[in-house]
Amino acid sequence: MKIKLAKSYGFCFGVKRAIKIAENSKGAVTYGELIHNPLEIKRLKEECGVGLAKELSEIETKKVIIRTHGITKSDKQFLIENGKELIDATCPFVTKPQQIVEKMSGEGYDIVIFGDEKHPEVMGVRSYSLNPDRTFVVLSVDELQKLKLRERVAVVAQTTRKVTHFLEIAQKLVEKYKEVRVFNTICNATFENQTAVEVLAKEADVMIIVGGKNSSNTKQLYLISKRFCKDSYLVEDKDELKSDWFKGKNLCGVSAGASTPEWLIRNIIEKIQQIKEDNDE
Ligand code: F3S
């Protein structure tokens, strides 16, 4: 069995940047998980002394790192008012839809955000609207059809959404409303990893996707992979790998979500290699 990595996988620019910021911020805490990967968060705690506060009330340090997905405007305000020193690790690709929503809502546009309303990034982006009553989060065309929007609409997307789905949303809006401003805020890193996983899943007979199970972009990679290779598995750590998955297989493809560290991917590949050798004996 051969093991092959996807052409593009793993850490994106925004996560690399956030980790570097955290590594240089000893003694700080991140408000919310810096990135969606429990093992990397553990490493930052152990090696760099960067803690995690899940609630605002848990923050005891002066320095607070804002996670890659950003936070809500009111949380930011609260931290500033409480004398915290903010270290902003928000990915610039997340800051962009925040700014668009603020500007376009200020200009009187109804806002549509294509994404998951419970995702921290979307909650953050939504909070920047100057007109919350005219700001809507939708996850499907069906949800969109139920909305009664005014004539002028601006639409943005959660950075990790699929381009094809965003196009469907944009198309429906354009068909129905007079003035529609479409801002493609989907991040290229996600797109590149998605294209690469599709190419690899088509040729592989088993696929391992490495990443946090709470990471939206890792889950999306897994779903794409599953579509083209039915034996696709999503794992967070090497202990989850099962030798049965690899029996009788010729090509094992490996990809990883945008917040999966390189050391973890290497560990997984080593373990697959070991399983392969055991299976061959
Ligand atoms: Fe930023 Fe894109 Fe990564 S939004 S955090 S560069 S997946």
Side-chain angles (χ1 to χ4, degrees), residues 93-94 96-102 104-105 109-141 143-144 147 149 153-161 165-166 169-170 173 180-183 185-186:
F93 294 130
V94 173
K96 196 171 130 204
Q98 291 176 346
Q99 290 166 341
I100 293 169
V101 164
E102 188 165 37
M104 300 312 285
S105 61
Y109 285 79
D110 277 3
I111 305 291
V112 173
I113 302 168
F114 169 48
D116 173 0
E117 65 176 347
K118 293 199 182 76
H119 192 284
E121 175 193 320
V122 174
M123 287 160 73
V125 169
R126 181 184 213 165
S127 74
Y128 277 80
S129 171
L130 301 178
N131 194 354
D133 293 343
R134 302 302 314 164
T135 301
F136 309 90
V137 180
V138 298
L139 204 46
S140 66
V141 168
E143 283 177 25
L144 180 71
L147 299 179
L149 301 170
V153 183
V155 58
V156 297
Q158 184 180 352
T159 52
T160 46
R161 289 287 134 191
H165 294 163
F166 184 51
I169 299 277
L173 284 170
V180 181
R181 303 282 304 272
V182 180
F183 297 89
T185 50
I186 293 175

Short mmCIF file of all heavy atoms in Angstrom, two decimals, residues 93-94 96-102 104-105 109-141 143-144 147 149 153-161 165-166 169-170 173 180-183 185-186:
data_model
loop_
_atom_site.label_atom_id
_atom_site.label_comp_id
_atom_site.label_asym_id
_atom_site.label_seq_id
_atom_site.Cartn_x
_atom_site.Cartn_y
_atom_site.Cartn_z
N PHE A 93 -8.62 37.20 6.70
CA PHE A 93 -9.74 36.79 5.83
C PHE A 93 -11.06 36.74 6.60
O PHE A 93 -12.12 36.61 6.00
CB PHE A 93 -9.46 35.41 5.20
CG PHE A 93 -8.31 35.43 4.24
CD1 PHE A 93 -7.29 34.49 4.34
CD2 PHE A 93 -8.23 36.39 3.24
CE1 PHE A 93 -6.22 34.51 3.46
CE2 PHE A 93 -7.16 36.41 2.35
CZ PHE A 93 -6.15 35.46 2.45
N VAL A 94 -10.98 36.78 7.93
CA VAL A 94 -12.20 36.85 8.75
C VAL A 94 -12.52 38.32 9.06
O VAL A 94 -13.68 38.72 9.11
CB VAL A 94 -12.03 36.04 10.06
CG1 VAL A 94 -13.22 36.23 10.99
CG2 VAL A 94 -11.84 34.55 9.75
N LYS A 96 -12.11 40.65 7.08
CA LYS A 96 -12.70 41.22 5.86
C LYS A 96 -14.24 41.18 5.87
O LYS A 96 -14.88 42.22 5.74
CB LYS A 96 -12.12 40.51 4.64
CG LYS A 96 -12.35 41.25 3.34
CD LYS A 96 -11.56 40.61 2.22
CE LYS A 96 -12.49 40.35 1.05
NZ LYS A 96 -12.03 39.30 0.16
N PRO A 97 -14.87 39.99 6.06
CA PRO A 97 -16.34 40.02 6.11
C PRO A 97 -16.89 40.85 7.28
O PRO A 97 -17.98 41.44 7.17
CB PRO A 97 -16.74 38.54 6.25
CG PRO A 97 -15.50 37.80 6.57
CD PRO A 97 -14.35 38.62 6.07
N GLN A 98 -16.15 40.91 8.38
CA GLN A 98 -16.60 41.76 9.50
C GLN A 98 -16.72 43.21 9.01
O GLN A 98 -17.72 43.89 9.25
CB GLN A 98 -15.60 41.71 10.66
CG GLN A 98 -15.53 40.37 11.38
CD GLN A 98 -14.45 40.34 12.46
OE1 GLN A 98 -13.56 41.20 12.52
NE2 GLN A 98 -14.48 39.32 13.30
N GLN A 99 -15.67 43.65 8.29
CA GLN A 99 -15.66 45.04 7.80
C GLN A 99 -16.74 45.27 6.75
O GLN A 99 -17.40 46.31 6.75
CB GLN A 99 -14.28 45.37 7.20
CG GLN A 99 -13.19 45.45 8.26
CD GLN A 99 -11.79 45.45 7.65
OE1 GLN A 99 -11.59 45.05 6.50
NE2 GLN A 99 -10.80 45.88 8.43
N ILE A 100 -16.93 44.27 5.88
CA ILE A 100 -17.94 44.42 4.82
C ILE A 100 -19.34 44.55 5.45
O ILE A 100 -20.13 45.42 5.07
CB ILE A 100 -17.90 43.22 3.84
CG1 ILE A 100 -16.59 43.24 3.05
CG2 ILE A 100 -19.10 43.22 2.90
CD1 ILE A 100 -16.32 41.97 2.24
N VAL A 101 -19.62 43.67 6.42
CA VAL A 101 -20.94 43.69 7.07
C VAL A 101 -21.17 45.03 7.76
O VAL A 101 -22.25 45.64 7.66
CB VAL A 101 -21.06 42.50 8.06
CG1 VAL A 101 -22.23 42.70 9.01
CG2 VAL A 101 -21.22 41.19 7.28
N GLU A 102 -20.15 45.53 8.41
CA GLU A 102 -20.28 46.82 9.10
C GLU A 102 -20.57 47.93 8.09
O GLU A 102 -21.51 48.71 8.25
CB GLU A 102 -18.99 47.12 9.88
CG GLU A 102 -19.10 48.33 10.78
CD GLU A 102 -17.96 48.39 11.80
OE1 GLU A 102 -16.82 48.03 11.44
OE2 GLU A 102 -18.23 48.79 12.94
N MET A 104 -21.59 47.75 4.77
CA MET A 104 -22.79 47.63 3.95
C MET A 104 -24.07 47.81 4.78
O MET A 104 -25.05 48.37 4.29
CB MET A 104 -22.82 46.27 3.23
CG MET A 104 -21.66 46.02 2.29
SD MET A 104 -21.28 47.36 1.15
CE MET A 104 -22.61 47.20 -0.04
N SER A 105 -24.05 47.35 6.02
CA SER A 105 -25.24 47.57 6.86
C SER A 105 -25.38 49.07 7.14
O SER A 105 -26.49 49.60 7.18
CB SER A 105 -25.16 46.77 8.17
OG SER A 105 -24.04 47.16 8.92
N TYR A 109 -27.94 48.42 3.38
CA TYR A 109 -28.21 47.13 2.72
C TYR A 109 -28.71 46.12 3.75
O TYR A 109 -28.24 46.12 4.90
CB TYR A 109 -26.92 46.58 2.09
CG TYR A 109 -26.51 47.27 0.82
CD1 TYR A 109 -25.85 48.49 0.86
CD2 TYR A 109 -26.78 46.70 -0.41
CE1 TYR A 109 -25.47 49.15 -0.30
CE2 TYR A 109 -26.40 47.33 -1.59
CZ TYR A 109 -25.74 48.56 -1.53
OH TYR A 109 -25.37 49.18 -2.68
N ASP A 110 -29.62 45.24 3.35
CA ASP A 110 -29.92 44.06 4.15
C ASP A 110 -28.72 43.14 4.00
O ASP A 110 -28.14 43.04 2.91
CB ASP A 110 -31.17 43.34 3.60
CG ASP A 110 -32.44 43.97 4.13
OD1 ASP A 110 -32.35 44.97 4.86
OD2 ASP A 110 -33.54 43.44 3.81
N ILE A 111 -28.39 42.46 5.07
CA ILE A 111 -27.19 41.60 5.02
C ILE A 111 -27.58 40.13 5.08
O ILE A 111 -28.37 39.72 5.95
CB ILE A 111 -26.25 41.90 6.22
CG1 ILE A 111 -25.88 43.39 6.28
CG2 ILE A 111 -25.02 41.00 6.20
CD1 ILE A 111 -24.99 43.89 5.18
N VAL A 112 -27.01 39.34 4.18
CA VAL A 112 -27.16 37.89 4.24
C VAL A 112 -25.78 37.30 4.47
O VAL A 112 -24.84 37.62 3.73
CB VAL A 112 -27.79 37.32 2.95
CG1 VAL A 112 -27.79 35.79 2.98
CG2 VAL A 112 -29.22 37.83 2.78
N ILE A 113 -25.67 36.48 5.50
CA ILE A 113 -24.40 35.78 5.75
C ILE A 113 -24.66 34.30 5.48
O ILE A 113 -25.55 33.70 6.10
CB ILE A 113 -23.93 35.97 7.21
CG1 ILE A 113 -23.76 37.47 7.53
CG2 ILE A 113 -22.61 35.22 7.45
CD1 ILE A 113 -23.58 37.78 9.01
N PHE A 114 -23.92 33.76 4.54
CA PHE A 114 -24.08 32.33 4.23
C PHE A 114 -23.14 31.55 5.15
O PHE A 114 -21.91 31.65 5.03
CB PHE A 114 -23.73 32.08 2.76
CG PHE A 114 -23.62 30.62 2.42
CD1 PHE A 114 -24.60 29.71 2.81
CD2 PHE A 114 -22.53 30.15 1.70
CE1 PHE A 114 -24.49 28.36 2.49
CE2 PHE A 114 -22.41 28.80 1.37
CZ PHE A 114 -23.39 27.91 1.78
N GLY A 115 -23.73 30.85 6.13
CA GLY A 115 -22.88 30.13 7.07
C GLY A 115 -23.70 29.54 8.20
O GLY A 115 -24.93 29.56 8.17
N ASP A 116 -22.99 29.03 9.17
CA ASP A 116 -23.62 28.37 10.31
C ASP A 116 -23.74 29.39 11.45
O ASP A 116 -22.73 29.86 11.98
CB ASP A 116 -22.73 27.19 10.72
CG ASP A 116 -23.18 26.52 12.00
OD1 ASP A 116 -24.18 26.98 12.58
OD2 ASP A 116 -22.53 25.55 12.41
N GLU A 117 -24.98 29.71 11.83
CA GLU A 117 -25.16 30.80 12.79
C GLU A 117 -24.55 30.52 14.16
O GLU A 117 -24.31 31.42 14.95
CB GLU A 117 -26.63 31.18 12.92
CG GLU A 117 -27.50 30.10 13.51
CD GLU A 117 -28.92 30.59 13.70
OE1 GLU A 117 -29.17 31.80 13.62
OE2 GLU A 117 -29.80 29.73 13.94
N LYS A 118 -24.27 29.25 14.45
CA LYS A 118 -23.69 28.93 15.76
C LYS A 118 -22.16 28.93 15.72
O LYS A 118 -21.50 28.74 16.73
CB LYS A 118 -24.19 27.56 16.21
CG LYS A 118 -25.67 27.56 16.50
CD LYS A 118 -26.05 26.37 17.38
CE LYS A 118 -27.53 26.31 17.63
NZ LYS A 118 -28.29 25.81 16.50
N HIS A 119 -21.59 29.08 14.53
CA HIS A 119 -20.13 29.06 14.43
C HIS A 119 -19.57 30.40 14.94
O HIS A 119 -20.10 31.46 14.59
CB HIS A 119 -19.71 28.83 12.98
CG HIS A 119 -18.26 28.52 12.84
ND1 HIS A 119 -17.29 29.49 12.95
CD2 HIS A 119 -17.61 27.35 12.65
CE1 HIS A 119 -16.10 28.93 12.81
NE2 HIS A 119 -16.27 27.62 12.63
N PRO A 120 -18.52 30.34 15.78
CA PRO A 120 -17.96 31.58 16.34
C PRO A 120 -17.59 32.63 15.29
O PRO A 120 -17.78 33.83 15.52
CB PRO A 120 -16.69 31.12 17.08
CG PRO A 120 -16.73 29.64 17.14
CD PRO A 120 -17.81 29.14 16.24
N GLU A 121 -17.08 32.18 14.16
CA GLU A 121 -16.72 33.16 13.12
C GLU A 121 -17.96 33.92 12.65
O GLU A 121 -17.95 35.15 12.52
CB GLU A 121 -16.08 32.44 11.92
CG GLU A 121 -15.79 33.40 10.77
CD GLU A 121 -15.46 32.67 9.47
OE1 GLU A 121 -14.75 31.65 9.51
OE2 GLU A 121 -15.93 33.13 8.41
N VAL A 122 -19.04 33.18 12.41
CA VAL A 122 -20.28 33.80 11.91
C VAL A 122 -20.89 34.70 12.98
O VAL A 122 -21.36 35.80 12.70
CB VAL A 122 -21.27 32.71 11.44
CG1 VAL A 122 -22.61 33.32 11.06
CG2 VAL A 122 -20.69 31.92 10.28
N MET A 123 -20.83 34.24 14.23
CA MET A 123 -21.36 35.08 15.32
C MET A 123 -20.59 36.40 15.38
O MET A 123 -21.17 37.47 15.59
CB MET A 123 -21.26 34.33 16.66
CG MET A 123 -22.28 33.20 16.75
SD MET A 123 -21.87 31.96 17.97
CE MET A 123 -22.20 32.82 19.45
N GLY A 124 -19.28 36.29 15.17
CA GLY A 124 -18.44 37.49 15.17
C GLY A 124 -18.79 38.40 14.00
O GLY A 124 -19.04 39.60 14.18
N VAL A 125 -18.87 37.84 12.80
CA VAL A 125 -19.16 38.63 11.60
C VAL A 125 -20.52 39.32 11.75
O VAL A 125 -20.66 40.52 11.51
CB VAL A 125 -19.12 37.73 10.34
CG1 VAL A 125 -19.68 38.46 9.12
CG2 VAL A 125 -17.69 37.26 10.05
N ARG A 126 -21.51 38.56 12.19
CA ARG A 126 -22.86 39.10 12.36
C ARG A 126 -22.88 40.29 13.32
O ARG A 126 -23.60 41.27 13.12
CB ARG A 126 -23.75 37.98 12.89
CG ARG A 126 -25.18 38.37 13.09
CD ARG A 126 -25.94 37.21 13.71
NE ARG A 126 -27.31 37.19 13.25
CZ ARG A 126 -28.13 36.17 13.38
NH1 ARG A 126 -27.71 35.06 13.96
NH2 ARG A 126 -29.36 36.23 12.95
N SER A 127 -22.07 40.18 14.37
CA SER A 127 -22.10 41.22 15.41
C SER A 127 -21.63 42.58 14.89
O SER A 127 -21.84 43.60 15.54
CB SER A 127 -21.23 40.79 16.60
OG SER A 127 -19.86 40.91 16.27
N TYR A 128 -20.97 42.59 13.74
CA TYR A 128 -20.49 43.86 13.19
C TYR A 128 -21.57 44.62 12.44
O TYR A 128 -21.36 45.75 12.01
CB TYR A 128 -19.24 43.63 12.31
CG TYR A 128 -18.01 43.57 13.17
CD1 TYR A 128 -17.67 42.40 13.85
CD2 TYR A 128 -17.21 44.69 13.37
CE1 TYR A 128 -16.58 42.35 14.69
CE2 TYR A 128 -16.11 44.66 14.20
CZ TYR A 128 -15.79 43.47 14.86
OH TYR A 128 -14.72 43.44 15.70
N SER A 129 -22.73 44.00 12.27
CA SER A 129 -23.79 44.70 11.56
C SER A 129 -24.30 45.89 12.38
O SER A 129 -24.48 45.78 13.60
CB SER A 129 -24.96 43.75 11.30
OG SER A 129 -26.04 44.49 10.80
N LEU A 130 -24.52 46.98 11.70
CA LEU A 130 -25.06 48.15 12.38
C LEU A 130 -26.58 48.09 12.42
O LEU A 130 -27.23 48.94 13.00
CB LEU A 130 -24.59 49.43 11.66
CG LEU A 130 -23.06 49.60 11.58
CD1 LEU A 130 -22.70 50.86 10.82
CD2 LEU A 130 -22.43 49.63 12.98
N ASN A 131 -27.13 47.07 11.76
CA ASN A 131 -28.60 46.91 11.74
C ASN A 131 -28.94 45.42 11.95
O ASN A 131 -29.31 44.72 11.01
CB ASN A 131 -29.13 47.42 10.39
CG ASN A 131 -30.63 47.60 10.42
OD1 ASN A 131 -31.29 47.24 11.41
ND2 ASN A 131 -31.18 48.14 9.35
N PRO A 132 -28.84 44.95 13.20
CA PRO A 132 -29.03 43.53 13.49
C PRO A 132 -30.37 42.97 13.01
O PRO A 132 -30.45 41.81 12.61
CB PRO A 132 -28.94 43.44 15.02
CG PRO A 132 -28.26 44.70 15.45
CD PRO A 132 -28.54 45.73 14.41
N ASP A 133 -31.42 43.82 13.03
CA ASP A 133 -32.75 43.33 12.61
C ASP A 133 -32.81 43.02 11.12
O ASP A 133 -33.72 42.34 10.65
CB ASP A 133 -33.83 44.37 12.92
CG ASP A 133 -34.01 44.54 14.41
OD1 ASP A 133 -33.55 43.65 15.15
OD2 ASP A 133 -34.58 45.58 14.82
N ARG A 134 -31.89 43.59 10.36
CA ARG A 134 -31.89 43.36 8.91
C ARG A 134 -30.67 42.53 8.50
O ARG A 134 -30.17 42.63 7.38
CB ARG A 134 -31.87 44.70 8.14
CG ARG A 134 -33.02 45.64 8.43
CD ARG A 134 -34.39 45.08 8.17
NE ARG A 134 -34.54 44.37 6.91
CZ ARG A 134 -35.55 43.55 6.63
NH1 ARG A 134 -36.49 43.30 7.53
NH2 ARG A 134 -35.62 42.94 5.46
N THR A 135 -30.19 41.68 9.41
CA THR A 135 -29.02 40.84 9.14
C THR A 135 -29.42 39.38 9.36
O THR A 135 -29.95 39.04 10.42
CB THR A 135 -27.85 41.23 10.07
OG1 THR A 135 -27.56 42.61 9.82
CG2 THR A 135 -26.60 40.40 9.82
N PHE A 136 -29.22 38.56 8.34
CA PHE A 136 -29.74 37.19 8.38
C PHE A 136 -28.63 36.18 8.07
O PHE A 136 -27.81 36.41 7.18
CB PHE A 136 -30.86 37.04 7.35
CG PHE A 136 -31.92 38.11 7.48
CD1 PHE A 136 -31.80 39.30 6.77
CD2 PHE A 136 -32.99 37.94 8.34
CE1 PHE A 136 -32.76 40.30 6.90
CE2 PHE A 136 -33.96 38.93 8.48
CZ PHE A 136 -33.85 40.12 7.76
N VAL A 137 -28.66 35.08 8.79
CA VAL A 137 -27.69 34.01 8.52
C VAL A 137 -28.46 32.84 7.92
O VAL A 137 -29.46 32.40 8.49
CB VAL A 137 -26.98 33.57 9.82
CG1 VAL A 137 -25.98 32.46 9.52
CG2 VAL A 137 -26.26 34.75 10.48
N VAL A 138 -28.01 32.36 6.78
CA VAL A 138 -28.68 31.21 6.17
C VAL A 138 -27.65 30.15 5.81
O VAL A 138 -26.51 30.44 5.50
CB VAL A 138 -29.47 31.59 4.88
CG1 VAL A 138 -30.56 32.58 5.17
CG2 VAL A 138 -28.54 32.09 3.79
N LEU A 139 -28.14 28.92 5.85
CA LEU A 139 -27.24 27.80 5.55
C LEU A 139 -27.67 27.09 4.26
O LEU A 139 -26.97 26.22 3.77
CB LEU A 139 -27.26 26.84 6.75
CG LEU A 139 -26.09 25.92 6.98
CD1 LEU A 139 -24.77 26.66 6.86
CD2 LEU A 139 -26.19 25.28 8.36
N SER A 140 -28.83 27.48 3.74
CA SER A 140 -29.31 26.80 2.52
C SER A 140 -30.19 27.74 1.72
O SER A 140 -30.67 28.76 2.23
CB SER A 140 -30.13 25.57 2.92
OG SER A 140 -31.30 26.01 3.59
N VAL A 141 -30.42 27.33 0.46
CA VAL A 141 -31.30 28.11 -0.40
C VAL A 141 -32.72 28.12 0.18
O VAL A 141 -33.41 29.14 0.17
CB VAL A 141 -31.29 27.52 -1.84
CG1 VAL A 141 -32.40 28.11 -2.69
CG2 VAL A 141 -29.94 27.77 -2.49
N GLU A 143 -33.64 28.08 3.30
CA GLU A 143 -33.72 29.09 4.37
C GLU A 143 -33.78 30.50 3.77
O GLU A 143 -34.50 31.37 4.25
CB GLU A 143 -32.50 28.99 5.29
CG GLU A 143 -32.60 27.82 6.27
CD GLU A 143 -31.35 27.70 7.13
OE1 GLU A 143 -30.64 28.71 7.35
OE2 GLU A 143 -31.09 26.58 7.59
N LEU A 144 -33.04 30.68 2.71
CA LEU A 144 -32.99 31.99 2.05
C LEU A 144 -34.36 32.37 1.49
O LEU A 144 -34.81 33.52 1.63
CB LEU A 144 -31.95 31.95 0.92
CG LEU A 144 -31.76 33.24 0.14
CD1 LEU A 144 -31.07 34.29 0.99
CD2 LEU A 144 -30.96 32.98 -1.13
N LEU A 147 -36.89 34.24 3.58
CA LEU A 147 -36.65 35.62 4.02
C LEU A 147 -37.39 36.62 3.14
O LEU A 147 -37.50 36.43 1.94
CB LEU A 147 -35.15 35.94 3.96
CG LEU A 147 -34.20 35.11 4.83
CD1 LEU A 147 -32.77 35.59 4.60
CD2 LEU A 147 -34.57 35.25 6.30
N LEU A 149 -36.60 40.08 2.09
CA LEU A 149 -35.57 41.11 2.13
C LEU A 149 -36.05 42.36 1.41
O LEU A 149 -36.98 42.31 0.60
CB LEU A 149 -34.29 40.57 1.48
CG LEU A 149 -33.71 39.31 2.13
CD1 LEU A 149 -32.60 38.71 1.29
CD2 LEU A 149 -33.21 39.60 3.53
N VAL A 153 -29.42 44.26 -1.19
CA VAL A 153 -28.92 43.16 -0.36
C VAL A 153 -27.42 42.98 -0.57
O VAL A 153 -26.93 43.04 -1.70
CB VAL A 153 -29.62 41.83 -0.75
CG1 VAL A 153 -29.17 40.69 0.17
CG2 VAL A 153 -31.14 41.97 -0.70
N ALA A 154 -26.70 42.76 0.52
CA ALA A 154 -25.27 42.41 0.41
C ALA A 154 -25.09 41.03 1.02
O ALA A 154 -25.68 40.72 2.06
CB ALA A 154 -24.42 43.44 1.15
N VAL A 155 -24.30 40.20 0.35
CA VAL A 155 -24.12 38.83 0.85
C VAL A 155 -22.64 38.51 1.00
O VAL A 155 -21.82 38.84 0.14
CB VAL A 155 -24.87 37.81 -0.05
CG1 VAL A 155 -24.41 37.85 -1.50
CG2 VAL A 155 -24.74 36.39 0.48
N VAL A 156 -22.32 37.89 2.13
CA VAL A 156 -20.95 37.41 2.39
C VAL A 156 -21.06 35.93 2.81
O VAL A 156 -22.15 35.44 3.09
CB VAL A 156 -20.23 38.19 3.52
CG1 VAL A 156 -20.03 39.64 3.17
CG2 VAL A 156 -20.96 38.04 4.85
N ALA A 157 -19.91 35.27 2.86
CA ALA A 157 -19.93 33.85 3.25
C ALA A 157 -18.95 33.60 4.40
O ALA A 157 -17.93 34.28 4.51
CB ALA A 157 -19.55 32.98 2.06
N GLN A 158 -19.29 32.62 5.20
CA GLN A 158 -18.33 32.10 6.19
C GLN A 158 -17.12 31.61 5.37
O GLN A 158 -17.29 31.02 4.30
CB GLN A 158 -19.00 30.93 6.91
CG GLN A 158 -18.21 30.33 8.04
CD GLN A 158 -18.98 29.18 8.70
OE1 GLN A 158 -20.16 28.93 8.41
NE2 GLN A 158 -18.31 28.48 9.58
N THR A 159 -15.91 31.86 5.87
CA THR A 159 -14.72 31.60 5.05
C THR A 159 -14.56 30.15 4.60
O THR A 159 -13.93 29.89 3.58
CB THR A 159 -13.44 31.97 5.85
OG1 THR A 159 -13.49 31.32 7.11
CG2 THR A 159 -13.30 33.45 6.03
N THR A 160 -15.14 29.22 5.37
CA THR A 160 -14.90 27.80 5.07
C THR A 160 -16.00 27.14 4.23
O THR A 160 -15.99 25.93 4.06
CB THR A 160 -14.75 27.02 6.39
OG1 THR A 160 -15.79 27.44 7.26
CG2 THR A 160 -13.42 27.26 7.04
N ARG A 161 -16.94 27.94 3.75
CA ARG A 161 -18.04 27.34 2.96
C ARG A 161 -17.60 26.93 1.56
O ARG A 161 -16.60 27.43 1.05
CB ARG A 161 -19.18 28.36 2.83
CG ARG A 161 -19.92 28.58 4.11
CD ARG A 161 -20.78 27.41 4.45
NE ARG A 161 -20.63 27.05 5.85
CZ ARG A 161 -21.09 25.94 6.38
NH1 ARG A 161 -21.71 25.07 5.64
NH2 ARG A 161 -20.92 25.69 7.65
N HIS A 165 -21.88 26.17 -3.30
CA HIS A 165 -23.08 26.47 -2.50
C HIS A 165 -23.30 27.98 -2.40
O HIS A 165 -24.42 28.47 -2.44
CB HIS A 165 -22.96 25.87 -1.10
CG HIS A 165 -22.96 24.37 -1.11
ND1 HIS A 165 -22.54 23.61 -0.06
CD2 HIS A 165 -23.33 23.50 -2.08
CE1 HIS A 165 -22.65 22.33 -0.38
NE2 HIS A 165 -23.13 22.24 -1.59
N PHE A 166 -22.20 28.70 -2.26
CA PHE A 166 -22.30 30.17 -2.16
C PHE A 166 -22.87 30.73 -3.47
O PHE A 166 -23.69 31.64 -3.47
CB PHE A 166 -20.93 30.77 -1.84
CG PHE A 166 -20.96 32.26 -1.63
CD1 PHE A 166 -21.86 32.83 -0.75
CD2 PHE A 166 -20.08 33.10 -2.31
CE1 PHE A 166 -21.89 34.22 -0.54
CE2 PHE A 166 -20.10 34.47 -2.11
CZ PHE A 166 -21.01 35.02 -1.23
N ILE A 169 -26.59 30.44 -3.54
CA ILE A 169 -27.22 31.48 -2.72
C ILE A 169 -27.20 32.81 -3.47
O ILE A 169 -28.22 33.51 -3.58
CB ILE A 169 -26.45 31.63 -1.37
CG1 ILE A 169 -26.49 30.33 -0.56
CG2 ILE A 169 -26.93 32.84 -0.57
CD1 ILE A 169 -27.71 30.09 0.26
N ALA A 170 -26.03 33.15 -4.02
CA ALA A 170 -25.89 34.42 -4.73
C ALA A 170 -26.84 34.47 -5.93
O ALA A 170 -27.49 35.49 -6.18
CB ALA A 170 -24.44 34.60 -5.17
N LEU A 173 -30.41 35.17 -4.94
CA LEU A 173 -30.58 36.57 -4.55
C LEU A 173 -30.66 37.46 -5.78
O LEU A 173 -31.54 38.32 -5.88
CB LEU A 173 -29.40 37.02 -3.66
CG LEU A 173 -29.43 36.52 -2.21
CD1 LEU A 173 -28.10 36.81 -1.52
CD2 LEU A 173 -30.57 37.17 -1.43
N VAL A 180 -28.02 43.57 -5.74
CA VAL A 180 -27.36 42.56 -4.89
C VAL A 180 -25.85 42.72 -5.00
O VAL A 180 -25.28 42.70 -6.09
CB VAL A 180 -27.77 41.13 -5.32
CG1 VAL A 180 -27.10 40.10 -4.42
CG2 VAL A 180 -29.29 40.97 -5.25
N ARG A 181 -25.21 42.92 -3.85
CA ARG A 181 -23.74 43.03 -3.84
C ARG A 181 -23.20 41.72 -3.27
O ARG A 181 -23.50 41.35 -2.14
CB ARG A 181 -23.30 44.21 -2.95
CG ARG A 181 -23.91 45.56 -3.36
CD ARG A 181 -23.22 46.17 -4.57
NE ARG A 181 -21.79 46.32 -4.36
CZ ARG A 181 -21.21 47.38 -3.81
NH1 ARG A 181 -21.95 48.40 -3.43
NH2 ARG A 181 -19.92 47.44 -3.67
N VAL A 182 -22.44 41.02 -4.10
CA VAL A 182 -21.92 39.72 -3.69
C VAL A 182 -20.44 39.85 -3.35
O VAL A 182 -19.64 40.28 -4.19
CB VAL A 182 -22.09 38.68 -4.83
CG1 VAL A 182 -21.55 37.31 -4.40
CG2 VAL A 182 -23.55 38.57 -5.24
N PHE A 183 -20.09 39.50 -2.13
CA PHE A 183 -18.68 39.54 -1.70
C PHE A 183 -18.21 38.12 -1.45
O PHE A 183 -18.70 37.46 -0.53
CB PHE A 183 -18.54 40.39 -0.42
CG PHE A 183 -18.91 41.82 -0.60
CD1 PHE A 183 -20.22 42.24 -0.41
CD2 PHE A 183 -17.96 42.75 -0.99
CE1 PHE A 183 -20.57 43.57 -0.59
CE2 PHE A 183 -18.30 44.09 -1.18
CZ PHE A 183 -19.61 44.50 -0.98
N THR A 185 -16.19 35.95 0.21
CA THR A 185 -15.27 35.97 1.36
C THR A 185 -14.81 34.55 1.73
O THR A 185 -14.30 34.33 2.81
CB THR A 185 -15.96 36.64 2.57
OG1 THR A 185 -17.25 36.04 2.74
CG2 THR A 185 -16.10 38.12 2.37
N ILE A 186 -15.03 33.63 0.81
CA ILE A 186 -14.55 32.26 1.05
C ILE A 186 -13.03 32.28 0.89
O ILE A 186 -12.50 32.93 0.00
CB ILE A 186 -15.21 31.27 0.06
CG1 ILE A 186 -16.71 31.19 0.40
CG2 ILE A 186 -14.56 29.89 0.15
CD1 ILE A 186 -17.52 30.35 -0.55
#
